[in-house]
Amino acid sequence: QLQLVQSGTEVKKPGASVKVSCEASGYTFTSYGINWVRQAPGQGLEWMGWISAYNGNTKYAEKFQDRVTMTTDTSTSRVYMELRSLRSDDTALYYCARDRGYDILPKPSMDVWGQGTTVTVSS
Amino acid sequence: QSALTQPASVSGSPGQSITISCTGTSSDVGGYNYVSWYQQHPGKAPKLMIYDVSNRPSGVSNRFSGSKSGNTASLTISGLQAEDEADYYCNSFTSSTNFVVFGGGTKLTVL
């Protein structure tokens, strides 16, 4: 069925990197983009960036531009989000979410969401 | 501070209607018809309720409707039910270098 399945919980030290995966199934992977959205404990949703599964084109929020990289692997229908130089305020639940924008820009109607990956940054 | 402004909380009694506003600028809400609304219950992933200002995905109750006037989008829930109690978020495409912006979220309480 239509779903996005994310990798498991991560615990990292400040300054480290984390790489979260998101595996798509139940639809044509390259016909959509994927957004990454995070939610700190008790806080709202924050958009991090978008990647086209069609051509690998990326758009990142300014806040994360220098620290995030999003990639795709069409052979496994997976999208990856790597966040570097982790800080304590990066502690959050990270979601991947499908986007109709598939080539140039996101069209932020996120209709399928992963289950979320908890990333904890602590010394 | 979120780019889109939503009220922190709204409430209503079962059967009533409520409206949640989402105010942006001409660079986002006012400039594009790419406004969406999401419902999030505690401990769950968000669920798309409205897209492109006023379209409902398949399976979403017709008690949920969306609209836009100028730089403000609105989500209306009619015939409130206990299960509608949740957090609601709007988002929009933006011409700024951030591309996508969310509202801060609105907690809906069904009295």
Side-chain angles (χ1 to χ4, degrees):
Chain A
Q1 70 274 30
L2 189 58
Q3 64 179 353
L4 298 173
V5 178
Q6 298 181 223
S7 50
T9 298
E10 301 270 7
V11 179
K12 296 292 183 182
K13 293 195 182 303
S17 298
V18 68
K19 192 169 186 176
V20 181
S21 70
C22 171
E23 182 179 5
S25 61
Y27 70 93
T28 302
F29 180 66
T30 52
S31 294
Y32 294 84
I34 293 287
N35 293 284
W36 288 91
V37 176
R38 77 178 188 179
Q39 187 169 35
Q43 302 301 308
L45 302 174
E46 180 176 32
W47 185 76
M48 299 180 68
W50 164 91
I51 184 166
S52 163
Y54 173 71
N55 58 18
N57 190 22
T58 55
K59 299 295 181 188
Y60 301 138
E62 242 183 306
K63 174 179 179 178
F64 301 103
Q65 182 77 37
D66 295 336
R67 295 198 295 138
V68 74
T69 301
M70 297 176 188
T71 55
T72 64
D73 182 345
T74 55
S75 67
T76 59
S77 298
R78 281 191 173 96
V79 175
Y80 298 91
M81 186 281 297
E82 181 180 35
L83 188 62
R84 301 176 293 277
S85 302
L86 289 167
R87 307 185 287 255
S88 58
D89 62 359
D90 290 318
T91 294
L93 187 57
Y94 288 75
Y95 290 105
C96 60
R98 192 176 77 163
D99 189 299
R100 289 177 304 151
Y102 76 95
D103 56 353
I104 300 173
L105 289 170
K107 294 180 181 178
S109 58
M110 304 174 196
D111 63 342
V112 183
W113 291 69
Q115 83 276 20
T117 296
T118 297
V119 176
T120 301
V121 183
S122 174
S123 55
Chain B
Q1 188 171 358
S2 302
L4 303 180
T5 301
Q6 298 181 233
S9 63
V10 298
S11 62
S13 299
Q16 288 186 331
S17 294
I18 62 95
T19 297
I20 300 172
S21 62
C22 170
T23 300
T25 69
S26 57
S27 296
D28 39 65
V29 173
Y32 304 91
N33 287 326
Y34 291 137
V35 177
S36 296
W37 289 91
Y38 304 86
Q39 175 192 67
Q40 187 180 35
H41 286 110
K44 301 293 187 182
K47 175 185 176 183
L48 180 67
M49 305 303 285
I50 296 288
Y51 68 96
D52 294 353
V53 176
S54 59
N55 292 296
R56 267 189 316 276
S58 174
V60 171
S61 170
N62 60 9
R63 297 185 299 105
F64 292 83
S65 62
S67 62
K68 187 180 83 167
S69 177
N71 296 335
T72 298
S74 298
L75 173 71
T76 298
I77 308 173
S78 60
L80 267 182
Q81 300 179 0
E83 69 230 41
D84 299 333
E85 186 164 292
D87 293 325
Y88 291 84
Y89 295 90
C90 62
N91 79 350
S92 174
F93 179 82
T94 172
S95 58
S96 81
T97 51
N98 284 310
F99 301 103
V100 177
V101 289
F102 276 97
T106 298
K107 181 175 180 59
L108 169 62
T109 300
V110 180
L111 302 170

